[in-house]
Amino acid sequence: MGYQIAIDGPAGAGKSTIAKLIAKQKNFIYVDTGAMYRAMALFLLRSNINANDDEAVSLICPKAEITIRYENNEQIVLLNGENVNAYLRTEEVGLIASKSSANPKVREHLLGLQIKLAEENDVVMDGRDIGTCVLPNANVKVFLTASSRIRAKRRYLELTANNANEESPLDLDDIEQDIIKRDNQDMSREHAPLKQAADAVLVDTSDLTIEEVSALIIEICGQKR
């Protein structure tokens, strides 16, 4: 059984950035579960499947072969053999992922790979329900959070950098409302809702640097060995 670090939290709390950094520092495998769910959302989008149509999603999701591998120290997400890294971080894909990830068949389809990786390797895994559902016996559980405004500003800066040549201006208030909507969807869904595990350490990243959060979690790992 590998050493397991589970990092949960809402969108924009810094989970992926922190998880990648900790995995690099500890030479662990980083398992980006959110990217896997986004790949499924991309598959649904390309297949013209409504994420709210549970039956249609359940029927088609087994046709999505989603795997993760590393190339030149970079995590590559493959959807039916195609590297889809460039398509996973759009707002549209994110909203679809929030809906489709609540579908039991989608979770069942992806859960096996996640658990197998964690059993065979030392891993850092981030998502919405890692400590509560995917890795309930993880050695270390952390719940990252930040205010919706801080998370919106982070997303604004990310989108601005990625869309430097776009003519349409981005609106910070709209981005924050999308984040609040996403939070409500994640926390209220029937299957595996977003919530802090009872034994998880709560870390508010609003006023902390990436390095400070990483150092804090590394310290927690040292206490849990």
Side-chain angles (χ1 to χ4, degrees):
M1 179 70 72
Y3 191 92
Q4 303 170 358
I5 302 175
I7 300 178
D8 289 312
K15 300 185 301 297
S16 296
T17 300
I18 297 301
K20 290 175 184 177
L21 181 57
I22 291 173
K24 182 177 181 180
Q25 291 175 334
K26 295 184 71 65
N27 197 28
F28 282 15
I29 290 177
Y30 169 58
V31 183
D32 186 353
T33 61
M36 296 173 68
Y37 280 102
R38 282 174 175 266
M40 177 61 74
L42 179 65
F43 176 72
L44 297 176
L45 183 63
R46 289 178 171 181
S47 303
N48 295 314
I49 299 295
N50 188 330
N52 292 315
D53 188 338
D54 288 341
E55 183 177 357
V57 172
S58 297
L59 288 173
I60 201 171
C61 74
K63 296 181 180 179
E65 181 63 30
I66 300 169
T67 58
I68 293 177
R69 73 182 184 204
Y70 279 82
E71 294 181 0
N72 300 320
N73 294 320
E74 180 186 4
Q75 183 193 71
I76 304 297
V77 181
L78 299 175
L79 171 59
N80 292 332
E82 176 191 356
N83 179 350
V84 293
N85 281 21
Y87 308 105
L88 300 183
R89 298 298 169 183
T90 67
E91 289 296 310
E92 184 177 22
V93 167
L95 289 173
I96 293 174
S98 179
K99 297 174 183 177
S100 61
S101 61
N103 186 296
K105 290 295 183 181
V106 170
R107 285 183 48 76
E108 179 182 342
H109 187 62
L110 299 177
L111 193 59
L113 174 61
Q114 299 166 3
I115 293 175
K116 187 172 186 293
L117 282 169
E119 288 178 343
E120 297 178 352
N121 304 275
D122 294 332
V123 300
V124 181
M125 195 178 297
D126 73 291
R128 303 292 193 278
D129 61 347
I130 306 305
T132 54
C133 297
V134 182
L135 301 177
N137 298 313
N139 302 80
V140 171
K141 299 179 185 179
V142 175
F143 192 90
L144 294 186
T145 189
S147 69
S148 61
R149 195 65 175 179
I150 290 293
R151 290 185 284 136
K153 288 179 179 178
R154 292 171 180 172
R155 186 60 175 156
Y156 177 87
L157 292 175
E158 179 183 353
L159 291 171
T160 301
N162 292 337
N163 299 282
N165 297 321
E166 294 289 336
E167 295 183 0
S168 300
L170 297 169
D171 187 279
L172 182 60
D173 291 333
D174 288 344
I175 295 174
E176 183 177 14
Q177 287 306 309
D178 284 342
I179 284 176
I180 293 173
K181 179 181 178 181
R182 175 78 176 274
D183 287 348
N184 290 333
Q185 288 177 346
D186 289 342
M187 290 186 293
S188 62
R189 66 192 188 195
E190 180 179 357
H191 300 281
L194 168 66
K195 64 179 181 179
Q196 181 181 342
D199 54 346
V201 178
L202 177 65
V203 177
D204 190 325
T205 69
S206 298
D207 300 315
L208 298 176
T209 66
I210 293 172
E211 292 75 18
E212 288 172 335
V213 176
S214 175
L216 178 58
I217 296 176
I218 293 294
E219 181 181 349
I220 294 170
C221 291
Q223 297 169 354
K224 297 284 187 177
R225 268 292 185 184

